[in-house]
């Protein structure tokens, strides 16, 4: 067994690679695993000769700074979190005397101009009015389903006929479609993502007719998926962008429809807990963080209501 002094002299990229294999391989989804592999690639690129024993706060900060030159702040933050997980284990093992990630400063390029995150109710209605909802399932129907349910892209791709329970007006989300690789069903993002979403009567009528002749166990949009099982998010975003232009509204992404769904529910007075369950968030904290600006606006409205109520008491 190698001594700690010998282990601490190994290159940091080698330690990180071994750490990923030991603690992450087989324990996380392949999509997340690819992010760890990307992090390893950047360590090898930016600091190939950096030894574990040389990981001082200054050297660590230099590594983050070099990474930040080519990435936005949030991406640099994700890079930092992955490195920190391995480094804290090295500290626990006695390979490092101090935590070099302590008080690290996260920098990064200015974020690129992004499309609007969500539409208001009138914009969403205009978008839906401009969808070409024919008698067979198309990507326009896919857009409608995401807008009505707030499902993630991979969740909506994996919906099969038996996931619909028309008598109870629910849609069961219990799997995803591995669209980035060879296709096929995959587990949901987390345990909380397995859920039943209540759907409105109009959606029930529409989809009960659209899927009645489709085979069970097969995604209802499978005929639109490429033969290799892959679907490009950019393709759907392009279709959605063109629909937004026709409706003369701000362009959003498909994930923006998920934000739109949640935002409209919150503005309608639906509780944060209910929205979190509908979206499949692992905790209400995620929902609160994502929609903080909307929650603050609603709180301001609540304050006005409270003040008017108290003013009427005498």
């Amino acid at each position: 067994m190698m001594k700690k002094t010998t282990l601490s002299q190994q290159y940091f990229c080698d330690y990180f690679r071994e750490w990923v294999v030991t603690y992450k391989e087989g324990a996380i989804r392949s999509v997340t695993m690819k992010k760890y592999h990307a992090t390893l690639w950047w360590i090898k690129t930016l600091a190939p000769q950096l030894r574990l024993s040389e990981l001082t706060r200054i050297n660590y900060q230099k590594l983050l700074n070099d990474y930040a030159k080519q990435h936005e702040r949030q991406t640099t933050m994700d890079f930092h979190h992955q490195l920190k997980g391995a480094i804290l284990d090295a500290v626990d093992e006695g390979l490092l005397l101090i935590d070099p990630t302590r008080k690290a400063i996260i920098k990064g390029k200015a974020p690129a101009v992004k499309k609007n995150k969500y539409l208001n109710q009138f914009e969403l209605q205009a978008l839906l009015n401009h969808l070409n909802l024919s008698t067979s399932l198309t990507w326009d129907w896919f857009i409608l389903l995401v807008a009505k349910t707030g499902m993630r892209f991979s969740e909506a791709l994996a919906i099969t006929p038996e996931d619909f329970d028309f008598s109870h007006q629910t849609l069961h989300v219990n799997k995803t479609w591995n669209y980035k690789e060879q296709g096929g069903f995959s587990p949901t993002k987390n345990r909380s993502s397995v859920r039943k979403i209540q759907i409105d009567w109009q959606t029930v009528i529409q989809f009960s007719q659209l899927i009645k002749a489709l085979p069970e166990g097969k995604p209802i949009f499978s005929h639109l998926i490429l033969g290799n099982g892959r679907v490009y998010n950019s393709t759907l975003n392009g279709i959605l962008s063109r629909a937004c232009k026709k409706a003369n509204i701000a362009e959003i992404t498909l994930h923006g429809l998920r934000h739109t769904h949640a935002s409209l529910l919150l503005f309608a007075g639906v509780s944060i807990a209910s929205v979190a369950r509908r979206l499949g968030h692992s905790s209400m904290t995620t929902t609160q963080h994502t929609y903080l600006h909307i929650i603050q606006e609603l709180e301001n409205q609540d304050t006005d209501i409270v003040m008017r109520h108290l003013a009427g008491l005498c």
Side-chain angles (χ1 to χ4, degrees):
M1 193 171 180
M2 296 179 69
K3 294 182 179 179
K4 287 183 179 180
T5 52
T6 306
L7 288 171
S8 65
Q9 290 303 309
Q10 65 182 313
Y11 292 125
F12 176 50
C13 58
D14 291 336
Y15 174 81
F16 185 81
R17 182 181 63 248
E18 186 177 346
W19 180 83
V20 170
V21 170
T22 303
Y23 292 101
K24 300 299 177 181
E25 206 168 80
I28 57 177
R29 300 196 309 165
S30 59
V31 173
T32 309
M33 193 66 178
K34 285 183 177 180
K35 294 178 182 179
Y36 277 97
H37 287 157
T39 296
L40 176 59
W41 185 89
W42 277 106
I43 298 172
K44 289 180 177 179
T45 302
L46 299 174
Q49 302 298 314
L50 178 64
R51 297 187 184 276
L52 192 58
S53 60
E54 298 170 340
L55 264 178
T56 61
R57 285 186 60 202
I58 290 179
N59 285 339
Y60 182 73
Q61 187 65 57
K62 285 180 179 177
L63 175 59
L64 286 185
N65 292 349
D66 288 341
Y67 183 84
K69 290 176 184 177
Q70 303 178 58
H71 298 86
E72 294 182 10
R73 188 179 183 280
Q74 183 56 56
T75 309
T76 305
M77 178 69 79
D78 296 339
F79 179 71
H80 163 64
H81 283 156
Q82 291 199 342
L83 296 182
K84 188 172 182 176
I87 290 172
L88 290 180
D89 279 351
V91 174
D92 289 343
E93 293 170 14
L95 302 179
L96 289 170
L97 297 178
I98 62 167
D99 174 15
T101 68
R102 189 175 67 87
K103 294 185 178 180
I105 305 299
I106 308 301
K107 304 176 184 179
K109 297 193 302 181
V113 177
K114 292 182 172 61
K115 293 181 180 179
N116 286 4
K117 279 194 172 183
Y118 64 93
L119 303 174
N120 62 38
Q121 184 175 347
F122 301 104
E123 290 171 329
L124 178 60
Q125 189 60 61
L127 170 64
L128 299 184
N129 289 342
H130 280 78
L131 293 179
N132 181 19
L133 302 177
S134 60
T135 55
S136 59
L137 284 166
T138 62
W139 285 129
D140 279 19
W141 281 109
F142 184 89
I143 290 171
L144 175 71
L145 189 62
V146 171
K148 288 288 191 82
T149 62
M151 283 189 291
R152 299 178 178 92
F153 180 52
S154 60
E155 293 172 342
L157 285 172
I159 292 299
T160 57
E162 61 267 33
D163 292 328
F164 287 94
D165 183 346
F166 295 120
S167 61
H168 293 93
Q169 291 187 219
T170 60
L171 181 57
H172 192 194
V173 178
N174 50 43
K175 55 193 174 301
T176 62
W177 185 258
N178 190 8
Y179 67 94
K180 291 185 178 179
E181 295 179 356
Q182 290 78 39
F185 295 119
S186 292
T188 54
K189 185 175 183 179
N190 50 54
R191 191 176 297 176
S192 301
S193 296
V194 177
R195 62 202 188 276
K196 288 186 178 180
I197 300 175
Q198 205 75 29
I199 53 178
D200 63 277
W201 64 267
Q202 188 177 22
T203 303
V204 166
I205 294 172
Q206 290 169 327
F207 277 85
S208 62
Q209 294 301 309
L210 288 165
I211 71 170
K212 63 182 179 181
L214 297 181
E216 292 188 1
K218 196 172 181 180
I220 63 174
F221 295 102
S222 60
H223 62 291
L224 302 173
I225 298 174
L226 297 175
N228 59 5
R230 301 194 68 177
V231 185
Y232 296 97
N233 200 294
S234 57
T235 302
L236 269 295
N237 282 334
I239 294 172
L240 178 55
S241 290
R242 289 191 289 275
C244 289
K245 287 178 181 177
K246 287 181 182 177
N248 197 28
I249 59 174
E251 294 177 51
I252 62 167
T253 63
L254 200 67
H255 196 68
L257 278 183
R258 178 171 160 85
H259 287 312
T260 297
H261 183 81
S263 301
L264 293 182
L265 291 180
L266 289 169
F267 276 123
V270 178
S271 71
I272 296 173
S274 294
V275 173
R277 284 194 297 272
R278 192 170 175 88
L279 295 180
H281 283 165
S282 56
S283 71
M284 282 192 293
T285 304
T286 303
T287 314
Q288 289 171 323
H289 176 75
T290 306
Y291 303 102
L292 180 62
H293 61 296
I294 296 173
I295 294 169
Q296 289 174 336
E297 187 174 339
L298 292 172
E299 286 177 345
N300 291 336
Q301 293 177 11
D302 288 344
T303 300
D304 293 339
I305 294 172
V306 170
M307 290 302 100
R308 286 199 301 271
H309 176 71
L310 292 177
L313 298 175
C314 56

